[in-house]
Amino acid sequence: MKASDTKQKKIVINPVTRIEGHAKVTIRMDDKGKIDAARMHIVEFRGFERFVRGRLYWEAPTIVQRLCGICPVSHHLCAAKAMDGIIGVDKLTPTAEKMRRLMHYGQTFQSHALHFFHLSSPDLLLGYDADPAIRNVIGIALKYPDLAKQAILMRKYGQEIIKATSGKKIHGTGAVPGGINKSLSNEEIALLKNDIDQMLEWSVQSVDLYKKMYMDDIDRLSNLGSFESNFVSLVRKDGCLDLYDGLLRAKDKDGKIIFDKVRPIDYLKYIREGVRNWSYMKFPFITSLGQEKGWYRVGPLARVNNCDFIDTPIAEKQRQEFMELGKGRPVHSTMAYHWARLIETVHSAEKIKELLDDPDIKGKDLVTAGKRRHESVAIIEAPRGSLFHHYKVDDNDQITMANLIVSTTSNNEPMNQAIRRVAEDHIAGQKKVTEPVLNLVEVAIRAYDPCLSCATHAIGQMPLKVKLVDFRGQVIDEKVRG
Amino acid sequence: MSNGKITIYVDDVEVETEPGKTIMEACDASGIYIPRLCYHKDLIPGGHCRVCTIKVNGKPTNACTFPAQEGLVVENDTDELKEFRRNIIEMLFVEGNHVCPYCEKQGNCELQALAYRLGMIAPTYPYLFPKIEVDASHPDVYIDRNRCVICGRCVRASRDIDGKSVFGFVGRGNDKHIAVNAEHNLSETQLTAADRAADICPTGSIVVKRTAYKVPYGKRMYDQEPIGSDIEKSAKV
């Protein structure tokens, strides 16, 4: 792009609201109103990969989880899995494996509830063009009080699962290298069992609600911020959806396998990370396809597209219905992410119910050990997508290298694509840009990720400031919100 | 004095003890908790940290070394002294790099527990953020001087209990720190994980490796009751 020799307009959304973290969007148009560039900038720097260096390997699961307050469990468990590898443990005791899985399903359940109800549903239930003053979770509580209460209780339930398995609702210490530090008591199990049927019922109602919403407005929603892409996720050895562990699978836009059954330790042979000079966030891509064509999507849509089946009955039935949207190909719609997300919410509730009936979660054999190694890679399916943790540890037990590819990073290019698509459909050629139209940009981002703190963090208010400027930087139109 | 006993008055409470006992020992036996950090019942008192500062007949001194004498009037649980102790704890926090949220000693750390007991919400002094490397060279024990409060427990335990003198103080003032009796690092010393010096650190500075986070939340030493509760309860029984 040559800003100096074309007459361009630039729209800046800074910061993007109703996400956790700090991001800025810029949309550049040429003098004919055509979209020249649409970008999401991650404008702050974190640095966990650097400051875990020199720390003892068993500290990693407790340190790196502080990347995030929404899905710390994913980082906690992924680092713990990596450290299992460092101490030579390839198989946990049944109690440790099931306690960690329970923690993870609790995490997915609460995070998906938060993502959909608290952060995204105001756009869907109140309208993307509703008054911004009420287009939020308070507006939902006023108009749909029962639904709002349900959303809060669903999140609370997931948090209670996390507390029971890791000791705290946020930033617990349950997973340790080689296992877990506690199992569940009869009292804890009884307490959690009290509400699981209600949670499952609400989860099914949620997916049905969104399904109807989507199908009733399919022309608009299926196109909003949509594009075709590759997909990457873990799947179990037999192709089943697995959020906690498995092997990497990549499919192309037509659903053909790009790679499959890739062990986490081999990820660097298949995935690389590119950088661009306008964002602190990297741009991962499938090595064999190159940076231009190899970018991919992760998260609920990728997982549901990639797996062959789901091993819980209600979620599997929902998956089959969902896949009909693609007519034999993967589903590519950005707004279908929410649908897939709610299918996973159902799956998580079903898995929690199953695990609460499993006597192994009361077991006492918590930790195991093996022969020490110096390098380990673990992958877990965090709520927003595949999360990679790669560590090297020296003979003194100190971490010498850490590489974390978070789901937000993998979805970086896709979010840019979604912004571009919204800009092309709704902003190109417009002389004035309305607030609802700008909100559509954010709606598309939120479908992927309302939580950018893996790559950034912000303190304080998040006002929205938008400027429409010409190529000389002269402000033509300006809107401030928040 | 009668029957070989003496009486001191701690915050207007009569405390009977024996000659030769310190004020700290007298109070412990009577269920009166005086906050302390460098003091440990198995070690010769060092008087380093001053967290146990009391006032004896109106004059500040440290309870761990001051001998009980007939008729002493001791101030302990006063707002003035609590603030004084809290300030000491705050200074210890800002002098090092005490990141409680991930420290493996969390919940079992006496420094953290004192901060809670003394009502420290956050340090009010500026952090110094010293740059300090971890010595993890020993196969079973590591030293993280980021968390060292120069209490000298390790020095006394290694010298007086283990008979090895692995640790010692070097430097003065702000430069004072714990050194090891070796050319380069801890791996060259005679320290073993079974030594008393390896598990007597009140913070997460000297830690036996591979024991982190094994005790879940709720069951750690100070999860249920504040530090000092054991002393206060023992005398009430």
Side-chain angles (χ1 to χ4, degrees):
Chain A
M1 182 187 61
K2 294 174 184 172
S4 57
D5 51 49
T6 58
K7 290 183 178 179
Q8 292 185 323
K9 291 173 185 171
K10 182 169 77 171
I11 299 169
V12 180
I13 303 177
N14 183 22
V16 177
T17 58
R18 239 186 304 135
I19 59 167
E20 205 225 14
H22 190 117
K24 179 176 85 168
V25 171
T26 59
I27 300 163
R28 289 179 184 274
M29 294 184 286
D30 64 19
D31 59 342
K32 290 176 185 163
K34 194 178 165 199
I35 302 299
D36 185 70
R39 292 171 175 170
M40 186 178 74
H41 310 252
I42 301 301
V43 292
E44 293 188 27
F45 178 69
R46 297 281 280 180
F48 274 76
E49 291 169 341
R50 176 62 189 87
F51 58 70
V52 295
R53 273 156 57 182
R55 297 309 313 177
L56 287 305
Y57 71 77
W58 49 84
E59 294 179 315
T62 310
I63 295 176
V64 295
Q65 64 177 337
R66 283 179 164 74
L67 275 160
C68 184
I70 291 184
C71 58
V73 169
S74 306
H75 288 283
H76 180 59
L77 289 175
C78 198
K81 282 173 54 169
M83 295 316 156
D84 294 342
I86 290 294
I87 65 166
V89 171
D90 296 319
K91 189 171 173 54
L92 298 174
T93 67
T95 297
E97 164 93 10
K98 287 171 185 174
M99 281 291 288
R100 285 195 191 176
R101 281 183 175 274
L102 183 57
M103 194 193 303
H104 194 49
Y105 293 123
Q107 153 73 12
T108 306
F109 188 80
Q110 69 85 16
S111 181
H112 279 1
L114 173 85
H115 190 151
F116 179 71
F117 286 110
H118 296 64
L119 299 170
S120 299
S121 75
D123 301 313
L124 302 161
L125 293 169
L126 303 173
Y128 74 93
D129 53 353
D131 178 1
I134 56 131
R135 198 180 59 213
N136 49 46
V137 71
I138 303 297
I140 293 289
L142 290 171
K143 191 164 181 187
Y144 304 98
D146 290 342
L147 193 67
K149 188 178 169 192
Q150 169 187 321
I152 289 165
L153 291 176
M154 285 174 77
R155 179 144 200 262
K156 179 176 184 289
Y157 184 79
Q159 297 281 46
E160 293 295 348
I161 295 272
I162 294 168
K163 185 183 175 190
T165 48
S166 78
K168 280 169 71 186
K169 290 179 181 174
I170 300 174
H171 300 149
T173 58
V176 295
I180 195 90
N181 69 10
K182 75 183 292 269
S183 53
L184 292 193
S185 66
N186 286 328
E187 293 74 27
E188 287 170 318
I189 293 169
L191 204 64
L192 294 169
K193 273 188 170 182
N194 276 344
D195 294 325
I196 185 57
D197 288 331
Q198 179 68 79
M199 294 302 139
L200 182 54
E201 187 185 326
W202 281 345
S203 306
V204 175
Q205 286 172 4
S206 303
V207 73
D208 286 343
L209 170 78
Y210 187 73
K211 191 192 311 175
K212 182 174 186 315
M213 201 184 297
Y214 189 95
M215 296 310 289
D216 286 351
D217 196 10
I218 190 164
D219 288 343
R220 192 172 68 89
L221 289 179
S222 64
N223 287 311
L224 180 63
S226 289
F227 52 90
E228 297 200 336
S229 76
N230 307 303
F231 294 100
V232 168
S233 73
L234 287 180
V235 291
R236 207 167 68 186
K237 272 182 189 170
D238 59 358
C240 179
L241 175 79
D242 195 335
L243 303 179
Y244 174 75
D245 200 22
L247 301 168
L248 271 182
R249 171 181 283 179
K251 281 185 179 176
D252 70 9
K253 61 184 171 60
D254 297 316
K256 289 196 305 194
I257 296 287
I258 302 170
F259 58 73
D260 199 7
K261 299 187 189 306
V262 171
R263 298 180 309 156
I265 194 71
D266 296 324
Y267 82 105
L268 278 176
K269 293 179 192 166
Y270 297 88
I271 287 171
R272 295 181 64 186
E273 290 178 278
V275 291
R276 289 178 189 161
N277 61 6
W278 44 268
S279 178
Y280 278 122
M281 195 146 65
K282 292 179 183 173
F283 289 80
F285 59 93
I286 295 166
T287 312
S288 62
L289 300 178
Q291 190 162 358
E292 283 302 309
K293 293 183 178 174
W295 54 272
Y296 56 87
R297 283 189 276 186
V298 298
L301 185 64
R303 292 189 287 252
V304 174
N305 273 331
N306 270 8
C307 74
D308 301 329
F309 66 100
I310 299 177
D311 63 349
T312 54
I314 306 173
E316 170 59 10
K317 199 174 162 206
Q318 294 281 0
R319 185 196 71 86
Q320 289 175 10
E321 196 177 339
F322 174 82
M323 292 308 291
E324 286 171 12
L325 280 180
K327 300 186 173 76
R329 296 177 76 232
V331 178
H332 285 284
S333 159
T334 283
M335 296 307 284
Y337 258 92
H338 289 308
W339 189 338
R341 181 168 292 120
L342 292 166
I343 292 172
E344 288 188 342
T345 311
V346 172
H347 172 64
S348 298
E350 288 181 288
K351 280 291 188 185
I352 290 167
K353 187 175 164 68
E354 190 181 300
L355 284 164
L356 290 175
D357 281 330
D358 191 323
D360 280 340
I361 59 167
K362 294 191 282 187
K364 300 296 171 204
D365 194 4
L366 304 181
V367 180
T368 187
K371 193 178 175 194
R372 183 78 152 66
R373 298 173 192 148
H374 289 93
E375 185 171 2
S376 181
V377 178
I379 306 175
I380 199 167
E381 285 297 330
R384 273 159 283 287
S386 310
L387 170 64
F388 300 67
H389 279 210
H390 179 190
Y391 300 95
K392 291 180 183 174
V393 177
D394 67 14
D395 286 334
N396 289 345
D397 300 323
Q398 289 174 286
I399 295 167
T400 56
M401 190 284 291
N403 187 37
L404 316 179
I405 306 178
V406 300
S407 40
T408 307
T409 315
S410 290
N411 275 337
N412 193 1
E413 180 62 34
M415 283 189 277
N416 279 281
Q417 292 287 336
I419 292 164
R420 186 178 184 99
R421 176 71 197 273
V422 172
E424 285 173 347
D425 288 352
H426 300 277
I427 295 175
Q430 304 295 318
K431 289 190 177 170
K432 282 233 170 213
V433 180
T434 61
E435 190 280 335
V437 167
L438 289 175
N439 187 45
L440 276 181
V441 174
E442 298 185 65
V443 168
I445 293 171
R446 288 183 204 116
Y448 292 90
D449 208 331
C451 171
L452 303 173
S453 66
C454 292
T456 179
H457 57 187
I459 297 169
Q461 291 184 330
M462 282 191 163
L464 174 66
K465 190 173 182 182
V466 182
K467 282 184 181 176
L468 190 59
V469 296
D470 68 15
F471 72 103
R472 291 187 182 86
Q474 193 173 352
V475 177
I476 299 170
D477 192 13
E478 183 171 357
K479 285 189 171 17
V480 178
R481 181 174 78 192
Chain B
M1 189 187 298
S2 61
N3 300 325
K5 300 281 185 183
I6 56 173
T7 303
I8 61 174
Y9 302 88
V10 182
D11 295 335
D12 297 328
V13 174
E14 283 188 22
V15 173
E16 199 173 65
T17 186
E18 297 159 12
K21 296 287 185 190
T22 62
I23 291 176
M24 176 90 81
E25 289 167 332
C27 287
D28 281 1
S30 299
I32 297 171
Y33 173 65
I34 301 172
R36 78 288 304 267
L37 187 57
C38 71
Y39 174 83
H40 191 284
K41 64 181 176 53
D42 297 339
L43 301 174
I44 298 167
H48 301 296
C49 72
R50 305 285 161 171
V51 171
C52 69
T53 295
I54 51 171
K55 278 191 175 177
V56 176
N57 295 345
K59 190 176 173 186
T61 187
N62 42 309
C64 68
T65 55
F66 202 93
Q69 295 164 49
E70 178 62 31
L72 289 184
V73 176
V74 176
E75 292 171 56
N76 171 42
D77 193 21
T78 68
D79 289 345
E80 181 194 15
L81 287 170
K82 279 192 277 192
E83 188 182 347
F84 180 83
R85 292 165 184 155
R86 189 166 58 241
N87 278 326
I88 293 175
I89 297 298
E90 286 190 21
M91 284 189 275
L92 291 173
F93 265 93
V94 301
E95 280 178 356
N97 296 308
H98 297 276
V99 190
C100 298
Y102 79 77
C103 177
E104 63 180 273
K105 196 74 179 245
Q106 55 166 276
N108 300 309
C109 172
E110 294 177 42
L111 182 69
Q112 182 192 37
L114 277 168
Y116 278 124
R117 170 132 192 173
L118 295 170
M120 189 189 95
I121 305 299
T124 50
Y125 300 109
Y127 285 97
L128 300 183
F129 295 122
K131 183 169 169 50
I132 302 169
E133 296 297 324
V134 175
D135 180 354
S137 59
H138 192 286
D140 300 317
V141 182
Y142 75 94
I143 310 178
D144 185 349
R145 292 183 180 86
N146 289 289
R147 303 166 183 164
C148 180
V149 291
I150 325 283
C151 70
R153 278 195 197 175
C154 55
V155 178
R156 287 173 278 156
S158 185
R159 181 191 63 211
D160 302 334
I161 300 177
D162 303 329
K164 294 181 178 177
S165 290
V166 167
F167 301 101
F169 291 115
V170 295
R172 294 183 67 80
N174 285 346
D175 294 328
K176 187 170 184 175
H177 63 275
I178 296 290
V180 297
N181 187 14
E183 184 84 14
H184 302 104
N185 53 41
L186 197 59
S187 68
E188 299 163 4
T189 69
Q190 294 179 306
L191 183 76
T192 72
D195 287 355
R196 197 74 176 93
D199 77 345
I200 206 161
C201 178
T203 72
S205 183
I206 299 177
V207 182
V208 175
K209 288 182 171 180
R210 294 172 287 278
T211 58
Y213 316 112
K214 291 285 167 67
V215 181
Y217 280 100
K219 295 190 173 175
R220 302 170 310 172
M221 197 174 296
Y222 303 117
D223 278 342
Q224 301 298 332
E225 292 178 318
I227 190 168
S229 299
D230 53 338
I231 291 170
E232 291 167 327
K233 282 163 78 175
S234 65
K236 287 175 187 165
V237 175

